[in-house]
C-alpha cells in the first residue's frame, strides 16, 4: 500500500504514433555521375547476319559457338562499349564461332543522360522472357518481339557470357544460375571473385535460365556478369577484364592464365519478392554485405518483417526501390 492507501498502478507505454508504425521512408534515388558516356553504336546496329545487332564470326576450324551479349537493359552500356571495341579491333576467333550481340537496341536508343534510369526497357524487362511458352503467347511488346527474333540464335550457342551492371552500390559478382555447369564456367573466368548460384526471379526466366543453358543434355552453359554500378569507370574496367578472361577460358582468343585466387561461391537460399509497394530496407545495405546474426530485421514489407534466416547471411543486390512483384533482395549463404 502507498502512503495514500492505494495500490500503485502499472506504468503504461503510450500508444505508438502513426508515424512510428510505418516503415522508414524509401531512400531517394541517388544522383548518379556518368563517368562513362554512352557509346556510338551506329556502325554496329545492322549486324552482319541479317539480324540487327548480331555479329558472328566463323574461324573455319572446329570449336564451340561462343557468344557475348550486352544491353539486355538499355541503360547498362558498359558491356556494349567492350563489344564495340572488339568489333572495331576486328576480333577473329582462333577456332569455332564467336558471336557478339547487342540485345535491347530500342531501349538503348532512348537513353537520356538527364534521366538515365528511364531506358532500362521499352515495354517490359527483357530478362524475364526467356521461355518458349511465354513467347508463344499472343502478347506483343518491343522486348518480346526482340527475344522472338533472337531465340533461334541462342539455340546454337554453346557458351555464353551475358554482360550487366547494377544501379545500387554492390560488390561485382557473377550469377551462375542453377546449374553446376554455369558455376564451373564462372570459376574458369575467375573475375570478379564472387560467384552467386541462384534460381532466378519470380517474374520470369533470365537468358541464363533459358532451357538451352540449364539442360544437362545440351552441354551448353552460361553465366551473367554484374560488373558494378552502371556508369562507373571501374565497372567498364572490370567488364573488359572479365570478357578477356572469358574469351581466353573458351580458347577463342588465346589461353587464359590462372588468377591465383579462388572465387567465393554463395548459394541463394531465398529470393525476397516485394509483396507491397512500400518494401523498405532499414538502412542502405550494400550488395555483398554479410549480416552476422540470424533473425536480424533488414527490411519491412508493409507490416511484415524481413529477417535474415541464418548467421552470416549475404545480401545479394538489394533493390532499394523494389516495385511490388519484383525482387527486393536475395539471401545467400557462402558455401565455398
Amino acid at each position: 500500500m502507498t502512503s495514500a492507501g492505494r495500490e500503485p498502478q502499472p506504468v503504461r507505454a503510450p500508444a505508438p504514433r502513426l508515424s512510428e508504425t510505418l516503415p522508414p521512408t524509401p531512400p531517394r534515388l541517388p544522383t548518379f555521375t556518368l563517368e562513362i558516356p554512352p557509346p556510338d553504336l551506329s556502325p554496329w546496329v545492322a549486324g552482319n547476319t541479317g539480324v540487327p545487332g548480331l555479329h558472328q564470326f566463323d574461324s573455319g576450324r572446329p570449336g564451340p559457338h561462343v557468344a557475348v551479349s550486352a544491353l539486355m537493359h538499355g541503360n547498362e552500356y558498359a558491356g556494349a562499349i567492350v563489344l564495340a571495341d572488339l568489333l572495331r579491333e576486328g576480333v577473329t576467333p582462333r577456332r569455332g564461332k564467336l558471336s557478339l550481340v547487342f540485345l535491347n537496341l530500342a531501349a538503348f536508343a532512348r537513353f537520356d543522360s538527364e534521366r538515365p534510369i528511364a531506358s532500362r526497357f521499352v515495354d517490359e524487362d527483357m530478362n524475364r522472357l526467356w521461355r518458349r511458352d511465354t513467347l508463344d503467347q499472343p502478347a506483343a511488346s518491343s522486348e518480346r518481339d526482340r527475344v522472338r527474333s533472337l531465340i533461334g540464335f541462342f539455340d546454337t550457342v554453346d557458351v555464353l557470357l551475358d554482360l550487366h551492371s547494377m544501379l545500387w552500390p554492390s560488390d561485382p559478382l557473377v550469377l551462375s544460375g542453377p546449374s553446376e555447369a554455369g558455376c564451373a564456367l564462372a570459376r574458369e573466368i575467375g573475375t570478379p571473385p564472387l560467384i552467386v548460384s541462384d534460381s532466378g526471379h519470380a517474374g520470369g526466366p533470365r537468358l541464363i535460365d533459358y532451357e538451352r543453358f540449364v539442360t544437362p543434355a545440351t552441354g551448353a552453359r552460361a553465366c551473367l556478369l554484374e560488373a558494378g554500378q552502371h556508369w562507373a569507370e571501374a565497372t567498364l574496367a572490370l567488364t573488359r577484364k572479365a570478357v578477356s578472361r572469358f574469351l581466353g577460358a573458351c580458347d577463342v582468343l588465346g589461353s587464359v592464365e590462372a588468377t591465383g585466387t579462388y572465387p567465393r561461391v554463395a548459394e541463394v537460399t531465398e529470393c525476397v519478392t516485394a509483396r507491397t509497394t512500400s518494401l523498405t530496407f532499414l538502412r542502405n545495405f550494400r550488395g555483398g554485405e554479410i549480416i552476422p546474426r540470424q533473425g536480424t530485421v533488414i527490411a519491412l514489407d508493409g507490416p511484415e518483417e524481413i529477417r535474415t534466416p541464418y548467421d552470416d547471411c549475404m545480401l545479394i543486390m538489394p533493390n532499394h526501390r523494389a516495385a511490388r512483384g519484383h525482387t527486393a533482395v536475395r539471401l545467400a549463404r557462402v558455401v565455398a
Side-chain angles (χ1 to χ4, degrees):
M1 299 291 287
T2 64
S3 58
R6 290 178 298 178
E7 291 282 352
Q9 297 297 307
V11 176
R12 294 182 181 274
R17 299 173 180 172
L18 176 61
S19 61
E20 295 172 335
T21 66
L22 298 175
T25 302
R28 294 181 179 179
L29 287 172
T31 299
F32 298 105
T33 300
L34 272 61
E35 297 177 8
I36 52 174
D40 176 11
L41 298 183
S42 57
W44 320 115
V45 167
N48 67 355
T49 63
V51 178
L54 175 57
H55 298 258
Q56 192 167 107
F57 307 94
D58 193 333
S59 70
R61 300 177 59 191
H65 182 184
V66 175
V68 186
S69 55
L71 283 184
M72 181 73 75
H73 301 118
N75 59 354
E76 300 180 19
Y77 54 71
I81 294 174
V82 175
L83 296 196
D85 286 348
L86 288 171
L87 291 167
R88 195 174 294 109
E89 293 161 5
V91 62
T92 303
R94 58 187 287 175
R95 68 187 187 106
K97 294 180 181 179
L98 173 63
S99 293
L100 307 177
V101 54
F102 303 97
L103 292 166
N104 202 337
L105 288 167
F108 175 71
R110 296 183 170 201
F111 183 81
D112 180 353
S113 60
E114 298 298 319
R115 301 173 63 243
I117 299 170
S119 58
R120 180 174 170 83
F121 51 78
V122 176
D123 297 311
E124 58 182 325
D125 191 336
M126 182 182 283
N127 214 25
R128 303 292 183 270
L129 300 176
W130 295 91
R131 186 170 59 209
R132 285 197 174 274
D133 58 357
T134 297
L135 300 176
D136 290 340
Q137 298 171 7
S141 73
S142 174
E143 280 74 22
R144 285 174 192 254
D145 291 344
R146 179 63 168 157
V147 172
R148 289 182 182 112
S149 74
L150 288 168
I151 201 162
F153 156 73
F154 282 108
D155 281 328
T156 71
V157 172
D158 299 308
V159 196
L160 169 71
L161 178 61
D162 189 24
L163 304 177
H164 290 247
S165 51
M166 299 177 271
L167 177 63
W168 300 97
S170 180
D171 295 344
L173 56 89
V174 176
L175 291 168
S176 66
S179 72
E180 176 54 38
C183 192
L185 175 60
R187 286 194 182 99
E188 291 170 22
I189 299 169
T191 300
L194 173 61
I195 300 168
V196 176
S197 171
D198 73 337
S199 56
H201 300 269
R206 304 162 297 190
L207 176 54
I208 64 169
D209 304 321
Y210 179 51
E211 60 184 359
R212 168 75 178 171
F213 302 116
V214 297
T215 304
T218 68
R221 51 191 186 152
C223 55
L224 184 161
L225 173 68
E226 293 282 5
Q229 207 285 325
H230 293 325
W231 309 295
E233 290 181 356
T235 298
L236 178 58
L238 190 141
T239 302
R240 290 191 195 283
K241 183 177 180 180
V243 169
S244 175
R245 291 193 58 81
F246 169 73
L247 295 176
C250 297
D251 198 22
V252 172
L253 299 180
S255 59
V256 62
E257 296 182 1
T259 62
T261 60
Y262 198 75
R264 288 188 301 169
V265 179
E267 185 177 272
V268 171
T269 61
E270 183 177 346
C271 186
V272 178
T273 301
R275 297 181 181 178
T276 73
T277 58
S278 60
L279 187 145
T280 308
F281 289 91
L282 298 192
R283 63 176 174 85
N284 288 330
F285 292 104
R286 178 183 175 86
E289 184 172 345
I290 293 178
I291 308 302
R293 296 188 59 127
Q294 177 183 1
T296 300
V297 179
I298 58 171
L300 299 174
D301 191 2
E304 179 185 2
E305 293 181 339
I306 308 300
R307 294 177 176 267
T308 52
Y310 36 78
D311 290 347
D312 298 325
C313 178
M314 180 180 285
L315 307 185
I316 304 298
M317 295 175 63
N319 178 358
H320 292 275
R321 303 281 291 194
R324 183 168 59 186
H326 290 226
T327 300
V329 66
R330 283 159 278 192
L331 308 179
R333 179 186 283 116
V334 176
V335 295

